[in-house]
Amino acid sequence: MRNVSPSWKNALPYFGTLLIFALIFWRIPIAKVGAALEQAPVLKFFGVFLPFCAFYWLVDSFCLTWVVCRFNAELRLRDILPIRASMYLLALINSNLGQGGVAWYLHRKTGVPFLEMLSSILFIALMEVYQLFFFSTLGVIFYHPNAPAQVEIVRVLRVAYVVAWLLLVAVMAFFAQARRNSRIRARIVGSRLGAIAGTFLAARPSDYAIVLGIKAPGFMLSVLAQYWALALFGIAIPFVKLMLFLPLVFLAAALPISVAHLGTSQAAWLLFFSGSAPNAKILAYSLAAHFTFMFCNGLIGLFYLPRASRELTALDATPPGDK
């Protein structure tokens, strides 16, 4: 019998989102936020975020193509572009659905087992997290906070990042040892999660560095896009400060406790940037930028959705062995 999640578990992200916004608007009058939103230069926001979303989609697709070709099967970039774009529509609601959809498509497209494809998707996801750690670590090094609260945050981040980087080194060292030690390798491969560990087992330190290098331009452009959009909204935040705290906003948005990355993202904007402008204006900007980004990603996804749907339908009708 298929295991179905209880309805109350499915409702938790919605309750989480409502609770976060209830707490936010308990402190910040909603009328002030509405007044600040009326000042949002919508067309100019689209002029900033639409090119960024298109560039990020290309970088994202190229990274996925490189990883799949390196660890799983030969595929062309043009095979990846439509499905990567269309899965942004699912990821707007639930990023895990988007990742799983890509893994399933690649499994059907290449005949490689689903869990092996999922291993490559998880490898990219881990590197996306550490890309944020990397740039935020640079921010910790070069940014000198003045407010006592931010001084304390930076002090905590220094400890957290040391732990995070040591953890990554430990993971890389463990799988490197497994490649050299046949007994450890056999235990990993023979375990229930052996297939999911496949890409991590095969990945060398240079592979980690290459994926970080491929992803880096996308993040740098995201910081520039936010920097320009903030200026259009009349908010001045130093670029290095954005590099330090924006990764933490992205990490907060990725937490699976809200819907469509809402709530946690706005709370993080208020936590890290409240001293740069009135709270109502920071909140209004975070909402305007968030929905503009979602809409631009949705446009790209909708443009490629018919083609991706045709390919998925064709793959679903074709036995894996007949491709």
Side-chain angles (χ1 to χ4, degrees):
M1 182 180 293
R2 189 173 64 179
N3 197 10
V4 180
S5 299
S7 57
W8 65 268
K9 286 188 177 180
N10 296 328
L12 283 178
Y14 295 90
F15 286 122
T17 304
L18 290 174
L19 178 60
I20 293 170
F21 275 115
L23 292 172
I24 288 174
F25 287 119
W26 180 57
R27 296 184 56 197
I28 304 173
I30 193 169
K32 289 186 177 181
V33 178
L37 278 172
E38 292 177 356
Q39 303 172 19
V42 178
L43 293 180
K44 291 181 179 179
F45 267 32
F46 278 111
V48 171
F49 283 106
L50 187 57
F52 159 65
C53 288
F55 180 80
Y56 186 87
W57 160 59
L58 292 173
V59 170
D60 203 14
S61 300
F62 179 75
C63 182
L64 180 60
T65 304
W66 186 89
V67 170
V68 170
C69 290
R70 170 71 177 85
F71 298 108
N72 305 112
E74 287 295 325
L75 275 180
R76 297 166 299 181
L77 177 62
R78 67 183 185 183
D79 295 322
I80 299 291
L81 286 169
I83 194 67
R84 179 68 272 183
S86 62
M87 287 301 156
Y88 286 151
L89 294 172
L90 281 178
L92 292 177
I93 304 300
N94 187 310
S95 57
N96 292 331
L97 282 177
Q99 301 285 37
V102 171
W104 181 86
Y105 168 82
L106 294 172
H107 152 65
R108 295 293 296 162
K109 181 78 172 176
T110 64
V112 173
F114 173 76
L115 289 181
E116 291 184 17
M117 279 300 182
L118 186 59
S119 179
S120 291
I121 299 297
L122 292 175
F123 178 73
I124 294 174
L126 178 67
M127 289 299 95
E128 287 175 344
V129 171
Y130 271 93
Q131 171 197 227
L132 299 178
F133 285 158
F134 174 74
F135 285 104
S136 190
T137 300
L138 292 179
V140 167
I141 294 172
F142 292 108
Y143 179 66
H144 301 288
N146 297 318
Q150 289 194 355
V151 170
E152 188 61 32
I153 290 173
V154 169
R155 184 180 296 114
V156 172
L157 288 178
R158 285 172 181 157
V159 176
Y161 287 165
V162 169
V163 173
W165 287 113
L166 288 176
L167 181 60
L168 179 62
V169 171
V171 169
M172 294 170 64
F174 171 75
F175 284 110
Q177 180 65 20
R179 287 193 296 271
R180 294 190 294 267
N181 189 309
S182 58
R183 186 174 63 178
I184 298 176
R185 183 185 181 92
R187 290 187 65 179
I188 294 174
V189 173
S191 68
R192 294 179 61 183
L193 299 178
I196 293 182
T199 298
F200 295 90
L201 193 58
R204 310 278 176 169
S206 58
D207 296 318
Y208 288 81
I210 288 171
V211 173
L212 284 176
I214 293 173
K215 284 286 188 177
F219 175 79
M220 288 304 300
L221 189 59
S222 73
V223 179
L224 284 171
Q226 296 284 354
Y227 184 77
W228 290 329
L230 282 161
L232 291 173
F233 205 69
I235 300 175
I237 297 178
F239 187 83
V240 177
K241 184 177 180 179
L242 274 179
M243 188 179 291
L244 168 59
F245 290 122
L246 201 57
L248 302 181
V249 173
F250 294 157
L251 287 172
L255 293 174
I257 59 174
S258 62
V259 178
H261 310 300
L262 284 166
T264 50
S265 175
Q266 282 65 52
W269 271 101
L270 290 169
L271 175 63
F272 299 123
F273 301 109
S274 59
S276 302
N279 284 344
K281 194 164 189 176
I282 291 291
L283 179 56
Y285 170 80
S286 71
L287 289 169
H290 185 88
F291 282 108
T292 304
F293 176 77
M294 289 177 64
F295 188 81
C296 291
N297 262 354
L299 280 179
I300 296 172
L302 284 173
F303 182 81
Y304 278 94
L305 186 59
R307 178 177 167 184
S309 298
R310 289 194 300 269
E311 291 188 13
L312 287 170
T313 302
L315 289 172
D316 204 31
T318 305
D322 292 346
K323 289 190 288 295

